[in-house]
Amino acid sequence: MKKKIAILGSTGSIGKSLIDIIKKDKKKFEIVLLTANKNYKELYKQSKLLNVKNLIITDTKGYNFLKNKSKKLNIHSDYKKLNKILKGKIDYTMNAIVGLDGLEPTLNIIQKTKIIAIANKESIICGWNLIIKKLKKNKTKFIPVDSEHFSLWSLINGQDKKKIDKLYITASGGPFINLPKKKFDKIKLSDALKHPTWNMGQKITIDSATLMNKVFEVIEAKNIFGVPYKKISILTHPKSYIHAIIKFNNGLIKILLHDPDMKIPIQNSLPDIGNKNIKTKSLNLKILNNLNLNTVDVKKFPLINLLDKLPEKSSLYETILITINDNLVHKFLEKKINYKRLIYLINKFSKLREFQKYKKIKAKNVKDIYRLRNYVSFKMNSIGI
Ligand code: NDP
Ligand code: MG
């Protein structure tokens, strides 16, 4: 029987990579749902290519366009009616939505899927306690898609977390790893968008340039694997060949490496797939003999210091951090602030006294998270940038 699959955020970088893999194996998969925010043209193209009847598009213009386009398609404007859209439990869902808006769809779809692969790191960072409850209740299997976490997950392979002595995730260091600190003032948006090893959506590309992405990934790792912050370290590794290292208590150290191509973790998260769908390169001895791993230069990348102030237990403060960064990265993408101000303001807002109390408060439901996000955005606007 064909595996039934839903792809949330199918028009983005991760979503398209998954479509690329699946379209080569149409006999094995039936796509039952695709979703997007604004890009109705791509969504419509994908629905025709893979014969998908159910589409969700949140933007009104896109919704109206698709609604008029075809009577045969079931078009929805939100994620509230997943119970009606999906009959029974499907086999696999990929959540590849960008941003905190991905959390509600994650929570809503867990009960309708046997496996949920989550690339949407904002869900994992802000709503992990809500996600884990739903996963347990619905016996849904979770697979992390972020490459470092997919590697850690593969290396741990269900072993008891007590056996872990230390987790390491790698950072390419982004486009500025070799730039002298005195030149950071001159960084332009176009420089920050030129990632040396990964090809990703714009938002995460900027987070990779500032290394805020690694702050988020350490939180992600702490949540997923249940190990304290002091046991998680970041290593810079410009070649992006190694993704994770684990030192176990028995002295064994395991390293996972693969080419810097998100299709590798994405394909390996799929149920029952052959390995013929993506081209892989042979072992790269040149890189292996020149791995070049280092600790992060926090003088160049001061946002890494934010990790020192995070609460050990998941809290609403993570929502604050995600929201501050999200708002400011968008201002940077719109060229309303420069790189230096981006870093300064992320630091400034995250240290705001009023926000610190949230380090001791846990989200009871998704509304708590969204309400706080709105408040933080309001507060940032009222203070001004
Ligand atoms: P993109 O920006 O390329 O794509 C995002 C997708 O989400 C698009 O389909 C977009 O639709 C949709 N979307 C955007 N806003 C909303 C919204 N408010 N509600 C519903 N859907 C929305 O992102 P990426 O593919 O780069 O990243 C997706 C997630 O995966 C992020 O959380 C990112 O951090 C994570 N990730 C990505 C990696 C990568 O290599 N790209 C690597 C590791 C993690 P539309 O096209 O219509 O705007
Ligand atoms: Mg990553």
Side-chain angles (χ1 to χ4, degrees), residues 339-349:
Y339 181 89
K340 196 178 166 193
R341 192 139 178 90
L342 170 68
I343 305 297
Y344 169 77
L345 288 172
I346 294 171
N347 248 316
K348 178 182 150 180
F349 282 114

Side-chain angles (χ1 to χ4, degrees), residues 9-14 36-39 58 79 96-99 101 119-122 146 199-201 204 262:
S10 61
T11 52
S13 156
I14 297 276
N37 182 35
K38 287 194 166 132
N39 195 347
T58 30
Y79 293 80
I97 293 173
V98 64
D101 282 337
N120 178 250
K121 58 180 78 192
E122 296 83 357
D146 213 341
N199 184 8
M200 311 180 282
I204 185 172
M262 281 307 292

Side-chain angles (χ1 to χ4, degrees), residues 121 146-149 170 198 204 213-214 217 220 262:
K121 58 180 78 192
D146 213 341
S147 58
E148 300 76 5
H149 306 77
T170 58
W198 293 101
I204 185 172
N213 187 42
K214 288 302 138 182
E217 289 186 351
E220 232 184 317
M262 281 307 292

Side-chain angles (χ1 to χ4, degrees), residues 6 21 54 61 107 141 165 201 231 234 255 258 275 291 304 317 324 350 354 371 382:
I21 295 168
N54 297 306
K61 186 177 163 205
L107 293 169
K141 182 178 169 180
D165 184 30
K231 289 193 171 192
I234 306 165
I255 299 180
H258 63 76
N275 284 324
L291 287 168
I304 292 294
Y317 184 75
I324 290 170
S350 62
E354 183 187 347
R371 215 179 292 127
S382 64

Side-chain angles (χ1 to χ4, degrees), residues 263-363:
K263 280 189 178 158
I264 295 173
I266 293 170
Q267 156 158 303
N268 283 290
S269 76
L270 277 166
D272 189 24
I273 182 144
N275 284 324
K276 59 181 186 308
N277 291 11
I278 54 168
K279 281 198 186 112
T280 50
K281 297 182 196 136
S282 17
L283 190 67
N284 191 325
L285 287 181
K286 213 169 154 194
I287 300 181
L288 262 183
N289 284 324
N290 188 15
L291 287 168
N292 193 14
L293 293 147
N294 260 305
T295 50
V296 179
D297 180 347
V298 289
K299 289 208 174 95
K300 272 192 195 175
F301 301 104
L303 295 182
I304 292 294
N305 290 327
L306 292 171
L307 281 168
D308 300 339
K309 299 271 173 0
L310 292 179
E312 201 61 52
K313 284 193 183 151
S314 287
S315 76
L316 276 168
Y317 184 75
E318 288 81 281
T319 297
I320 292 180
L321 210 54
I322 285 275
T323 309
I324 290 170
N325 183 66
D326 210 40
N327 289 342
L328 292 169
V329 167
H330 280 103
K331 298 267 181 239
F332 179 62
L333 285 169
E334 290 162 8
K335 295 192 178 170
K336 290 191 176 143
I337 52 175
N338 64 19
Y339 181 89
K340 196 178 166 193
R341 192 139 178 90
L342 170 68
I343 305 297
Y344 169 77
L345 288 172
I346 294 171
N347 248 316
K348 178 182 150 180
F349 282 114
S350 62
K351 294 201 169 96
L352 219 64
R353 201 141 158 232
E354 183 187 347
F355 291 157
Q356 307 311 309
K357 63 174 183 270
Y358 291 95
K359 290 180 178 170
K360 292 194 177 129
I361 309 173
K362 203 164 142 180

Side-chain angles (χ1 to χ4, degrees), residues 173-180 184 187-188 191-192 209-210 300-301 339:
F176 309 130
I177 185 150
N178 295 320
L179 190 75
F184 272 51
I187 289 171
K188 293 200 292 281
D191 303 326
T210 63
K300 272 192 195 175
F301 301 104
Y339 181 89

